[in-house]
């Protein structure tokens, strides 16, 4: 599990250090759009956006985590399924309605050369490759940790059986019968424990990969907001992105809850999510004087990262969140729970889609 955390941190670091230098060094080949620019007023809105987005993201990611304090919101309750389905709808809509269209717009911009960007649908290709890559990462990571856990379990069973054999020789037949049954009971308990460990491992991998996909997009939209100098552009984005981060936080928080991390890991992951967009805004403010969103390099970098983020989010929402829950025997047996989750899914996707009118 430690290796996956290192991969996440490394990928995020590469993201930040790759985007900033390339955007600063880029040169513009297209005329900038006419905007009502007011740096001082725009800066006030940016600071407001930074604070509101950070608070909304923190609240959103904490709501599902309250299950540890409020029994009604625990993963064992039906309401948790409904909340998680709503969040999955939000994430799915984020990918299809917000991220993927931005990627298409970036990589099909007239500011880019016709060859090769006009010869091939790079946006769909990158999203597809990223979705397949996410599947492969999950598969290999899960297989690796399951094998490690199986070896550990087998060693524990072997050691226990060795102790039981020693006790057999030392005791009489009555004790032999008791210790033999104890050994069998221990073996069955290990199998059950192994199944629970595999399920827990799956949830942990899901939560970390999902956070990586969300963080990639969050940094990009933060930089875009931070570099804008038009109050008319920023004002509607403040409210829209605040709700955007709140809903995404709910989705991520639901996954973190099921992963059953330690309190320190939960705090780090929550802060990591809540701070990424504000950090992006801060970076955008810092480079606003040299940044040009219409430069070919900026368009290519943003387009590729947006497409990659969309691929991750689409895969996670459909496969790891929705398919897993809707095929759950508990939901299959309860008509009222199925209805509630279907309505919740539509509401989540609809609410996030509506925000696209302003963001």
């Amino acid at each position: 599990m430690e290796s996956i955390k290192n991969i996440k941190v490394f990928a995020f670091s590469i993201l930040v250090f790759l985007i900033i230098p390339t955007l600063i060094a880029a040169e513009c080949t297209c005329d900038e759009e006419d905007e009502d620019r007011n740096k001082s007023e725009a800066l006030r809105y940016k600071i407001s956006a930074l604070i509101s987005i950070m608070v909304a993201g923190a609240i959103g990611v904490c709501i599902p985590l309250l299950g540890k304090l409020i029994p009604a919101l625990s993963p064992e309750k039906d309401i948790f399924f409904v909340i998680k389905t709503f969040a999955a709808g939000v994430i799915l809509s984020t990918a299809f309605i917000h991220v993927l269209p931005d990627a298409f717009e970036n990589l099909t911009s007239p500011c880019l050369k016709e060859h090769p960007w006009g010869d091939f649908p790079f946006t769909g290709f990158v999203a597809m490759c990223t979705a397949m890559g996410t599947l492969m990462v999950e598969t290999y990571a899960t297989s690796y940790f399951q094998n490690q856990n199986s070896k550990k379990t087998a060693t524990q069973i072997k050691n226990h059986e060795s102790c039981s054999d020693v006790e057999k020789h030392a005791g009489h037949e009555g004790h032999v019968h008791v210790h033999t049954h104890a050994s069998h009971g221990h073996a069955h308990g290990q199998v059950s424990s192994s199944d629970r460990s595999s399920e827990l491992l799956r949830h942990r991998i899901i939560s970390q990969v999902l956070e990586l996909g969300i963080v990639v997009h969050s940094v990009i939209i933060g930089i875009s907001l931070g570099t804008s100098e038009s109050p008319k552009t920023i004002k509607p984005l403040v409210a829209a992105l605040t709700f955007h981060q709140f809903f995404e936080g709910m989705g991520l928080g639901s996954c973190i809850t099921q992963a059953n991390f330690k309190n320190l890991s939960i705090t780090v992951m929550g802060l990591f999510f809540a701070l990424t967009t504000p950090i992006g805004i801060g970076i955008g403010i810092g480079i606003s004087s040299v940044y040009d969103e219409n430069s070919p390099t900026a368009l290519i970098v943003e387009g590729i990262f947006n497409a990659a983020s969309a691929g991750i989010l689409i895969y996670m929402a459909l496969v790891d969140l929705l398919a897993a829950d809707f095929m759950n025997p508990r939901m299959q047996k309860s008509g009222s729970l199925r209805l509630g989750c279907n309505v919740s899914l539509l509401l989540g996707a609809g609410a996030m889609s509506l925000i696209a009118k302003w963001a």
Side-chain angles (χ1 to χ4, degrees), residues 42-52 281 285:
L43 182 60
R44 289 197 296 270
Y45 284 119
K46 292 175 189 179
I47 295 174
S48 299
L50 189 150
I51 296 172
S52 64
I281 294 174
I285 293 173

Side-chain angles (χ1 to χ4, degrees), residues 84-97:
K84 188 179 176 185
T85 306
F86 179 91
V90 168
I91 292 172
L92 190 63
S93 176
T94 297
F96 277 115
I97 306 299

Side-chain angles (χ1 to χ4, degrees), residues 53-67 80 83 87 207 210-211 214 242-257 265-275:
I53 288 173
M54 181 172 60
V55 172
I59 294 174
V61 79
C62 286
I63 287 178
L65 300 177
L66 293 177
F80 184 82
I83 294 175
S207 63
L210 177 61
E211 179 161 13
I214 291 175
T242 297
F243 283 105
H244 182 282
Q245 291 301 102
F246 175 78
F247 289 142
E248 275 194 344
M250 288 182 62
L252 180 61
S254 299
C255 293
I256 294 175
T257 300
S265 297
I266 291 174
T267 302
V268 170
M269 292 184 72
L271 286 175
F272 194 70
F273 165 77
L275 293 176

Side-chain angles (χ1 to χ4, degrees), residues 150-165:
S150 297
K151 291 178 182 179
K152 182 178 179 181
T153 301
T155 302
Q156 291 175 345
I157 294 175
K158 185 177 180 180
N159 291 338
H160 186 84
E161 289 177 346
S162 298
C163 293
S164 297
D165 290 339

